[in-house]
Amino acid sequence: MSESEQESAPPGVDTTKPSVSRVYDYMLGGKDNYEIDRQVAAMALKVAPDAPESARANREFLRRTVRHLAAQAGIRQFLDLGSGLPTQGNVHEIAQAVAPRSRVVYVDHDPIVLVHGRALLAVDQTTTIIEADARDPEVILADRKTRGLIDFSEPVGLLMFGILHHLGDDEDPAGIVARLLRPLAPGSHLVISHFCNPGEAMPEVSRQAYAAEKLFNAHLGTGRWRAREDILALFDGLELLEPGLVPLPEWRPGADDHATPGITYHTFVGGVARKP
């Protein structure tokens, strides 16, 4: 790693260890990543050459679902967990294009995400970012900044894009989702995108998913490609909106969607559900 890269890193950012957020940033063509992140990305691209398209499909899914929540479901406040590095088309920009006073609380614990997020959001009183871990729902919900922007007597859009597959089975992701949903008002919506292993129905794709899972855990220490039924269980007690849990490009695509995943098409799925 070059000395210049070390000097350019914000305080608290360890450039000797790869970061999920920074690898994802690289896949999206961003510049907030380091040599170690690019090395992991290069290994991932050997397993899934279409990974950048998969990352773009996730961003397009984010845009469509947030737009739906703001325009069709009337949601005016959003809680975005594991928000990642700011990029074009952030949640507050999409929601506020529909409803200008929409409020957004971003949640992350990656130091570089916090640095860039605070710089981006410092001028906007309808938007904030808090430092917290998705494994601590009560901390997130009780945070002073969360309480300052989110009115829990009104519906909330709970956004969990690409985060739950970074929680191990032993960390009870379904329980974490349930704890986050518990205080939310009826009419709140949950959006999830998640890595998926289609199993015996698609043997070649399943083998690729296992290879990707092995790589992620070896180099990032995290990553779980779950079975479809396990992902559906995250929506227990909610009303799943049509078209259900589907590959990301299939969730109500629009004319401005252009991502074309290949082998990862069936290994990154998403859904939206309403709390009755």
Side-chain angles (χ1 to χ4, degrees):
M1 180 180 307
S2 71
E3 186 176 332
S4 62
E5 277 192 315
Q6 289 181 332
E7 291 176 350
S8 67
V13 174
D14 186 351
T15 60
T16 68
K17 296 179 180 178
S19 152
V20 171
S21 296
R22 299 193 315 250
V23 171
Y24 184 56
D25 174 72
Y26 175 78
M27 293 293 189
L28 286 168
K31 298 179 180 179
D32 296 311
N33 51 77
Y34 299 92
E35 180 59 28
I36 191 67
D37 307 304
R38 294 188 284 274
Q39 289 174 6
V40 172
M43 288 185 280
L45 287 167
K46 290 180 181 178
V47 174
D50 66 328
E53 288 296 313
S54 184
R56 281 190 282 274
N58 192 46
R59 293 303 302 183
E60 291 179 354
F61 176 70
L62 179 153
R63 184 184 68 238
R64 296 195 304 276
T65 54
V66 171
R67 188 184 293 160
H68 170 83
L69 294 193
Q72 307 300 322
I75 301 294
R76 297 293 177 263
Q77 47 187 2
F78 298 83
L79 189 57
D80 183 9
L81 274 70
S83 51
L85 283 157
T87 183
Q88 290 185 337
N90 294 292
V91 170
H92 70 284
E93 295 165 330
I94 299 163
Q96 290 173 3
V98 175
R101 299 305 296 172
S102 294
R103 306 180 302 282
V104 181
V105 176
Y106 294 103
V107 182
D108 214 298
H109 65 95
D110 187 319
I112 198 167
V113 172
L114 296 166
V115 167
H116 287 276
R118 287 166 181 153
L120 175 74
L121 305 171
V123 297
D124 192 340
Q125 296 303 309
T126 63
T127 314
T128 192
I129 186 166
I130 67 171
E131 181 177 3
D133 194 302
R135 299 170 184 84
D136 300 315
E138 288 75 23
V139 171
I140 295 168
L141 296 168
D143 188 278
R144 176 180 55 83
K145 290 182 180 179
T146 303
R147 293 282 170 175
L149 283 183
I150 302 292
D151 177 357
F152 287 95
S153 69
E154 297 292 331
V156 175
L158 176 59
L159 311 177
M160 305 190 81
F161 298 101
I163 183 172
L164 291 169
H165 53 232
H166 292 299
L167 300 180
D169 295 346
D170 60 331
E171 294 173 301
D172 188 19
I176 288 171
V177 172
R179 285 154 63 194
L180 286 163
L181 284 168
R182 194 170 296 130
L184 304 190
S188 292
H189 285 64
L190 170 66
V191 186
I192 292 174
S193 63
H194 198 297
F195 292 158
C196 178
N197 188 325
E200 295 179 359
M202 298 180 179
E204 181 184 357
V205 176
S206 180
R207 285 192 293 271
Q208 183 270 340
Y210 278 122
E213 183 172 282
K214 184 177 179 180
L215 186 149
F216 266 59
N217 281 277
H219 296 281
L220 292 169
T222 177
R224 185 74 172 85
W225 274 247
R226 292 190 166 92
R228 175 181 173 81
E229 55 267 28
D230 294 329
I231 302 171
L232 280 171
L234 300 170
F235 294 101
D236 277 357
L238 306 179
E239 300 167 349
L240 197 61
L241 275 58
E242 292 293 335
L245 182 68
V246 293
L248 300 182
E250 295 182 18
W251 201 93
R252 306 189 185 188
D256 52 352
D257 295 308
H258 305 293
T260 54
I263 196 166
T264 64
Y265 187 91
H266 292 282
T267 64
F268 207 174
V269 300
V272 182
R274 180 184 183 277
K275 181 176 180 179

